Amino acid sequence: MGEKVAAGQFGLSDRQHYRDKLRRCLTGLERLLAEQRFDRPKNLMGLEIELNLVGGDGMPKMLNGEVLERIASRDFQTELAMFNLEVNIAPHRLGGRVFDRLAEELRTSLAYADRKAGEVDAGIVMIGILPTLDRDDLVSSNLSDVDRYTLLNDQIVAARGEDFVLDIDGVERLTCTSKSIAPEAACTSVQLHLQVTPGRFADVWNAAQAVAGVQIAVGANSPFLFGRELWRESRPPLFQQSTDTRPPELQAQGVRPRTWFGERWISSAYDLFEENLRYYPALLPICDEEDPLEVLDEGGVPSLAELVLHNGTVYRWNRPVYGIADGVPHLRVENRVLPAGPTITDVIANAAFYYGLVRALAEESRPVWTRMPFETAAANFDAACRYGIDARLTWPRRGRYGGTVEVDAVSLVRDELLPLAEAGLAGWGVESGDRDLYLGVIEERCRRRANGASWQAATFHRAREAGLSRDAALAATTRRYGELMHLGEPVHTWPVGLPEPVPLG
């Protein structure tokens, strides 16, 4: 939700006016779709990565204002808490050696940012959830000093009307409460954008939903929170619970959470924007002066500001995005499934796998979403979050018999999905060197059953076996993770455990 908003109080008339504007925006979107006003295919993709600021001891550093001042680049922005940053990579056309170019851009940007962070005794770590975060770190006083975060926190807290309850039962169980949305800041992710035409949007979104569980299985990197070992990818349950505006009574009534997988396959981008208006009250009822329908009547392109702002407060794992570039409207699918890290090579491998796979699945004559219930895709997502690379997923059976079958995630990826991803990347025009390198990373993770989450958990347990306390083991694991992350070799090659101490004398 990158919109600039001003802190303020909202009255009853503000919410009614905002709802009316939202309806006019939705009508405007419907007209833009009917009049085929959207951009032609450009095969454009974009990338955002949320980052953590960490001290030499592995603990979070609340210094994003100072670090951003030193970085002084529009590519880097604040995120929710003072130990977060976000880097945005400009859109690239899918094709050629795009993934190698992206990797080089990221290496240059992150190395520069890390040097600047070093000026205030901090460093940058890409990880889904920083293992050393403590409950005292995730409080409202550590939210970034930006009006929109303060306002969003105030509105979600007011809508809920009581403390947020975190209850995640995994390898261990975590139960605690929070008075703010600050625990959401623990979740640092990679967002993959793909610009699509309206006619292709539903197929791409459905494909992205179908493979969300697979993405998590191979890319999980968030096994710890507040000193507890939870799910292999603990971000989704944490994100849902820390932004949940529903007290227990509304949950019991089946009111939908604002962090949402969804409940059905779609036939148009319009379906998702319409659902967002139908199911979710406004959190930030801030109105623009523009009348979108008047702008359309005059032949212009409306910003649909209220619709864009509202859409940014509904946290779908695959989110529809309306934007304008060079005066022409476009639609994007924003894939928000993946955790950050472990290395740039791993991030780019995850991206290559995703972009190849969604293209191939979106073009199949019998699409996967016609052969698998939506509830199965949601159950796969949940299973992958819990068990990571060891998850068992349900997938349509190959051949003419139909139905679904339960299969190891690694077998599904190696036997069926990697060849599809390769074909999809070839369809984008990505060169074979890029395809082989980055899809090879995914294949090796599957062969070794190793990803960021499995490495973190195994290294933590080795440290405990060596006699370290829980907190010391988490800190040591985080420091070692940071060292290996900066060396840059993909996570499946990382040696498990801490390096042997150098003997004195």
Side-chain angles (χ1 to χ4, degrees):
M1 192 198 70
E3 297 297 313
K4 290 181 178 172
V5 298
Q9 297 298 312
F10 303 118
L12 299 178
S13 61
D14 293 319
R15 295 185 184 279
Q16 184 61 55
H17 182 45
Y18 187 79
R19 186 180 287 113
D20 293 342
K21 282 295 297 285
L22 276 176
R23 288 177 181 142
R24 291 183 73 80
C25 284
L26 190 63
T27 301
L29 177 68
E30 191 173 27
R31 278 181 53 180
L32 284 166
L33 290 165
E35 294 167 13
Q36 300 184 339
R37 297 277 300 278
F38 284 88
D39 204 0
R40 300 293 177 262
K42 288 186 176 175
N43 296 353
L44 286 178
M45 55 82 67
L47 183 68
E48 304 168 49
I49 308 176
E50 294 163 352
L51 308 163
N52 292 277
L53 289 172
V54 176
D57 56 0
M59 308 304 286
K61 300 276 274 191
M62 308 295 167
L63 292 170
N64 65 356
E66 293 93 319
V67 172
L68 283 168
E69 205 172 284
R70 285 169 163 78
I71 292 173
S73 166
R74 286 187 297 181
D75 293 344
F76 287 83
Q77 300 173 356
T78 55
E79 252 302 322
L80 184 59
M82 291 162 62
F83 63 90
N84 297 144
L85 299 176
E86 181 175 88
V87 59
N88 298 292
I89 298 298
H92 283 61
R93 193 178 299 274
L94 277 160
R97 298 304 295 268
V98 63
F99 295 113
D100 261 356
R101 292 201 310 275
L102 278 169
E104 191 53 42
E105 279 184 42
L106 278 171
R107 285 189 190 100
T108 301
S109 292
L110 293 189
Y112 173 71
D114 193 61
R115 284 199 305 276
K116 291 299 178 183
E119 295 174 8
V120 290
D121 298 321
I124 284 173
V125 172
M126 286 193 299
I127 195 167
I129 296 175
L130 195 62
T132 49
L133 282 169
D134 186 79
R135 288 179 60 187
D136 291 342
D137 297 317
L138 293 169
V139 292
S140 56
S141 58
N142 283 335
L143 294 177
S144 293
D145 187 18
V146 177
D147 278 349
R148 69 175 182 270
Y149 298 135
T150 304
L151 192 54
L152 185 65
N153 178 66
D154 291 348
Q155 294 300 305
I156 291 179
V157 168
R160 182 173 176 86
E162 58 190 69
D163 287 355
F164 298 87
V165 176
L166 305 183
D167 186 350
I168 305 173
D169 193 4
V171 178
E172 300 174 296
R173 186 170 186 177
L174 172 73
T175 55
C176 63
T177 60
S178 173
K179 295 187 179 302
S180 74
I181 66 168
E184 180 204 325
C187 306
T188 42
S189 65
V190 171
Q191 287 118 48
L192 302 173
H193 291 256
L194 180 60
Q195 185 178 325
V196 291
T197 59
R200 298 271 292 155
F201 187 96
D203 289 347
V204 170
W205 188 87
N206 288 339
Q209 288 287 101
V211 301
V214 174
Q215 285 183 276
I216 287 286
V218 296
N221 196 28
S222 314
F224 295 105
L225 177 66
F226 298 163
R228 294 284 182 270
E229 185 179 354
L230 303 174
W231 293 8
R232 284 300 180 251
E233 186 53 46
S234 304
R235 282 170 41 258
L238 171 59
F239 205 113
Q240 178 172 322
Q241 293 175 21
S242 62
T243 59
D244 201 342
T245 54
R246 309 168 304 160
E249 296 82 3
L250 292 184
Q251 294 180 36
Q253 291 173 36
V255 172
R256 293 150 183 89
R258 292 195 88 97
T259 300
W260 197 36
F261 187 81
E263 61 192 15
R264 64 184 177 119
W265 307 117
I266 63 165
S267 57
S268 164
Y270 180 86
D271 294 351
L272 299 176
F273 289 102
E274 189 276 331
E275 277 185 352
N276 286 357
L277 266 65
R278 183 155 37 107
Y279 294 147
Y280 298 102
L283 288 177
L284 301 170
I286 299 165
C287 288
D288 194 294
E289 293 180 3
E290 173 191 89
D291 185 316
L293 301 185
E294 285 182 8
V295 171
L296 277 169
D297 289 342
E298 294 165 3
V301 177
S303 66
L304 306 184
E306 293 81 10
L307 190 73
V308 169
L309 181 60
H310 184 63
N311 191 56
T313 66
V314 180
Y315 304 104
R316 294 178 182 270
W317 295 110
N318 285 291
R319 177 189 271 167
V321 178
Y322 170 87
I324 300 171
D326 301 323
V328 183
H330 66 263
L331 292 171
R332 304 194 302 274
V333 174
E334 180 191 14
N335 178 259
R336 303 159 51 80
V337 167
L338 290 162
T343 66
I344 289 166
T345 298
D346 288 303
V347 168
I348 299 300
N350 290 340
F353 182 53
Y354 168 75
Y355 287 118
L357 193 51
V358 292
R359 174 167 180 140
L361 290 176
E363 292 180 342
E364 283 191 319
S365 57
R366 288 184 64 222
V368 63
W369 56 91
T370 67
R371 299 181 288 133
M372 181 171 79
F374 190 90
E375 295 76 16
T376 300
N380 283 344
F381 184 68
D382 188 69
C385 289
R386 287 177 183 272
Y387 304 114
I389 201 93
D390 296 320
R392 290 184 62 80
L393 307 178
T394 300
W395 197 255
R397 194 189 307 273
R398 281 191 282 187
R400 54 196 174 90
Y401 297 106
T404 58
V405 63
E406 190 179 271
V407 60
D408 275 346
V410 292
S411 300
L412 174 64
V413 172
R414 292 179 73 185
D415 297 344
E416 189 168 346
L417 301 185
L418 275 171
L420 282 173
E422 185 174 8
L425 291 179
W428 289 121
V430 174
E431 289 187 18
S432 59
D434 257 21
R435 299 199 306 265
D436 294 346
L437 172 62
Y438 292 107
L439 294 183
V441 170
I442 303 297
E443 184 170 19
E444 280 299 301
R445 278 193 223 150
C446 291
R447 189 175 71 81
R448 303 184 193 201
R449 287 184 175 262
N451 59 15
S454 69
W455 182 90
Q456 286 186 59
T459 297
F460 167 76
H461 287 294
R462 287 271 185 93
R464 292 287 281 143
E465 289 161 10
L468 271 64
S469 69
R470 179 179 286 261
D471 287 349
L474 288 167
T477 299
T478 303
R479 291 194 299 271
R480 181 62 173 157
Y481 178 103
E483 292 166 5
L484 293 168
M485 184 205 88
H486 285 291
L487 288 174
E489 293 299 316
V491 72
H492 67 262
T493 68
W494 289 10
V496 168
L498 305 174
E500 293 295 321
V502 178
L504 297 174

